[in-house]
Amino acid sequence: MAWNEPGPGRDPWNQGPKRGDGPPDLDEMLKRLKSRLGGGRGGNGGGKTGTPLPGGLIGLVVVALVLLWAASGFYVVDEQEQAVVLRFGQHVATTDAGLHWRMPWPIEAEEIVNVTGVRATRDRATMLTQDENIVDLELTVQYRVSDVNAFVFNVADPDLTIRQVTKSSVREVVGQSRMDFILTEGREEIADRTKLLLQERMEEYGTGLFVTEVNLQQAQPPEPVQAAFADAIKAREDQQRLKNEAEAYANDRLPRARGAAARQVEEANAYREQVVAKAQGDASRFTQLLAEYREAPKVTRERLYLDAMGEVYGNNNKILIDVDKGSPLLYLPLDQLMRRSGSGGSSTETLVSPQTMPRSGSGSELDNLRSRERGR
């Protein structure tokens, strides 16, 4: 018979037969349920004790807790990170990127370190130079983790260590340099020397850090003497500018002088070649004339005379008058004749015959010539 069928002893809550048609007593039902689950004593009318919690349920709870404790050993390492696994504080493994498992706490623990990210520290201080001057410097140091095991175990605080070593390194470098060198052309050298010295100290201490860059951002004298140093720097810049202008002028003049000298040397060589060639030609011509003169002395002598006269009178203006002896005095407009002959060429011969020249007795022709000359 089903429990909900009418009849005595069918109440699943052990409440006995129902009284009438009313609802069951809820408070009594809760007390009975609590006594059964909690193992306490129930409050029924018969005074019976409650049943204890089943052993299977306790086992499930224990298994769930063990699984949760084991699952807490999983950890994830990103691409730019590495993890150091510690077992009771002792290093046992170093893991790269990915999903890993280690024994749960308190047996093992992991420490994840970013090994690719660039870290930075800055230092600004007033320092003493080699020539006993004071300079204000500000520099920035960039570094990253190169050895994760050394970074975790060798030094308690690597970041604090590199800041302190930066202060000592830059003071050592500045103390070995002069102030003018630091303020002008020595900025890059100061930064490079500081970087090398800082990296040597980091390797000696075993910090597992690698210095990537040292930038000297500011180097200037103290505030009270900045005006005087600015004047000195300006004078130095003017000196350098004038020096550059002088070098530019020298670079412009020297090639021209060298070119002119080379041109004169070439002209001298050409003149020498010309003189030598002319001398050789004259010697050859004289040798040939000598041979001709030996065969026909008279003809050769006359030929030489005519050539010499032609060369002498070739560049002169000449007027030849063909008149008989005892002819009367003639008036010749030589300037006009020379001007006319000059228009035709530099070596023009003018032949004047007695028929073309006016006689001294013909006054009308002489007057005409004189009037023309005056008109001109």
Side-chain angles (χ1 to χ4, degrees):
M1 181 179 294
W3 66 271
N4 57 357
E5 291 183 0
R10 300 299 180 182
D11 188 359
W13 307 107
N14 295 327
Q15 294 179 346
K18 296 182 180 179
R19 294 176 295 179
D21 295 332
D25 191 355
L26 295 179
D27 294 336
E28 187 68 22
M29 292 173 60
L30 290 175
K31 289 179 181 180
R32 289 179 178 276
L33 180 61
K34 183 178 179 181
S35 63
R36 288 178 180 276
L37 295 177
R41 295 186 177 273
N44 57 358
K48 296 181 179 179
T49 61
T51 58
L53 189 66
L57 183 59
I58 297 176
L60 291 177
V61 172
V62 173
V63 171
L65 293 177
V66 171
L67 292 178
L68 290 176
W69 179 73
S72 64
F74 288 98
Y75 63 96
V76 178
V77 181
D78 293 337
E79 291 292 335
Q80 68 273 15
E81 297 175 341
Q82 287 184 353
V84 177
V85 180
L86 306 176
R87 182 178 299 167
F88 298 111
Q90 184 178 3
H91 174 253
V92 293
T94 301
T95 57
D96 294 328
L99 177 64
H100 304 277
W101 184 85
R102 44 97 181 151
M103 297 184 67
W105 184 88
I107 300 175
E108 290 183 352
E110 81 281 355
E111 185 171 349
I112 300 176
V113 180
N114 191 330
V115 295
T116 59
V118 178
R119 310 183 182 194
T121 180
R122 177 175 297 180
D123 182 37
R124 181 174 184 178
T126 301
M127 307 174 190
L128 190 65
T129 62
Q130 183 181 11
D131 51 356
E132 298 181 356
N133 287 318
I134 298 176
V135 61
D136 292 336
L137 288 182
E138 181 180 358
L139 76 161
T140 302
V141 179
Q142 297 179 356
Y143 60 97
R144 61 177 177 84
V145 178
S146 60
D147 187 354
V148 64
N149 296 328
F151 179 80
V152 173
F153 296 105
N154 291 352
V155 181
D157 192 348
D159 295 327
L160 178 61
T161 302
I162 196 172
R163 287 196 295 269
Q164 295 176 350
V165 176
T166 299
K167 293 178 180 295
S168 63
S169 300
V170 70
R171 279 166 173 78
E172 180 177 347
V173 174
V174 171
Q176 298 175 356
S177 305
R178 301 181 65 86
M179 186 170 186
D180 293 339
F181 177 74
I182 298 173
L183 297 180
T184 55
E185 72 274 7
R187 289 175 175 263
E188 294 183 0
E189 184 174 348
I190 294 295
D192 294 339
R193 290 168 56 187
T194 303
K195 178 182 177 181
L196 294 176
L197 184 59
L198 181 58
Q199 184 62 44
E200 292 178 0
R201 301 287 173 80
M202 290 294 98
E203 293 177 356
E204 291 177 1
Y205 296 157
T207 58
L209 297 177
F210 177 75
V211 181
T212 60
E213 190 70 28
V214 175
N215 296 320
L216 184 60
Q217 297 181 346
Q218 182 177 354
Q220 62 183 6
E223 186 69 25
V225 295
Q226 284 186 3
F229 272 91
D231 294 339
I233 293 174
K234 183 178 180 181
R236 189 180 297 109
E237 292 176 352
D238 293 339
Q239 178 186 4
Q240 187 65 30
R241 178 178 56 82
L242 294 175
K243 182 179 178 181
N244 295 335
E245 292 178 356
E247 291 178 354
Y249 178 78
N251 294 333
D252 179 62
R253 297 296 297 178
L254 287 178
R256 293 185 180 181
R258 293 191 183 99
R263 179 174 56 82
Q264 292 181 359
V265 170
E266 294 297 331
E267 291 178 354
N269 292 331
Y271 177 74
R272 181 188 62 183
E273 297 294 334
Q274 179 183 0
V275 171
V276 171
K278 184 177 180 180
Q280 291 176 354
D282 293 341
S284 177
R285 183 171 61 85
F286 180 79
T287 303
Q288 295 175 5
L289 286 176
L290 179 60
E292 297 293 333
Y293 181 79
R294 289 176 179 176
E295 293 180 0
K298 184 176 180 181
V299 176
T300 305
R301 188 183 301 112
E302 185 177 359
R303 174 74 177 275
L304 291 175
Y305 175 77
L306 293 177
D307 291 340
M309 292 297 103
E311 184 178 355
V312 171
Y313 291 107
N315 296 327
N316 296 325
N317 295 326
K318 300 176 291 298
I319 298 175
L320 301 180
I321 301 175
D322 185 12
V323 296
D324 296 335
K325 294 182 180 181
S327 60
L329 181 63
L330 301 176
Y331 173 77
L332 298 177
L334 297 179
D335 55 349
Q336 298 181 12
L337 294 176
M338 292 179 67
R339 193 178 302 165
R340 292 176 183 176
S341 64
S343 62
S346 60
S347 59
T348 304
E349 297 181 359
T350 304
L351 180 61
V352 182
S353 62
Q355 290 79 10
T356 57
M357 297 302 299
R359 298 287 184 177
S360 59
S362 57
S364 60
E365 293 181 359
L366 290 175
D367 295 337
N368 293 332
L369 290 174
R370 290 171 182 172
S371 61
R372 292 176 183 174
E373 182 66 17
R374 293 191 190 98
R376 292 182 179 179

